[in-house]
Amino acid sequence: MGVVTGVRIWSVLPIPLGIAMFFVAPSYQTEMLRSPTGWLLLALWIALTASAYAVNEYAIRLSRRGRWPIGALLIAATTMFLTFPALWIVFLGPALVVLLQQPS
């Protein structure tokens, strides 16, 4: 039961971290709200997090039905291709927005 809870928390971890970043460094994070690129990154962040949660729920169901190797593989793939990119957007998205806004 603890593993299931850990998988669920891991898949939605970018949400509380992103909210915490708005309180810790508001001037850094507000760059995401000031440009269309930032809005696009926020939408991508939400889509990646929601997809990670959905795929992990499916993996949990597979594991409970006795197909735990497939479930574990799905959780690993979700972590690499959905959760980590969402975390990158949370931490480095505002810097990317600032870099893209700078005139050449």
Side-chain angles (χ1 to χ4, degrees), residues 39 48 66 84 98 101:
W39 282 101
L48 287 171
F84 282 162
V98 169
Q101 288 178 351

Side-chain angles (χ1 to χ4, degrees), residues 12-73:
V12 296
L13 185 65
I15 293 172
L17 285 177
I19 293 169
M21 288 288 290
F22 270 104
F23 289 110
V24 171
S27 61
Y28 179 69
Q29 288 293 324
T30 53
E31 293 299 324
M32 295 282 280
L33 302 174
R34 292 184 181 162
S35 74
T37 306
W39 282 101
L40 181 67
L41 284 174
L42 283 173
L44 181 62
W45 169 42
I46 292 169
L48 287 171
T49 303
S51 299
Y53 187 80
V55 173
N56 281 341
E57 284 296 317
Y58 179 68
I60 290 167
R61 279 193 213 135
L62 284 177
S63 297
R64 287 183 176 162
R65 292 181 185 159
R67 298 179 181 169
W68 63 268
I70 297 171
L73 186 63

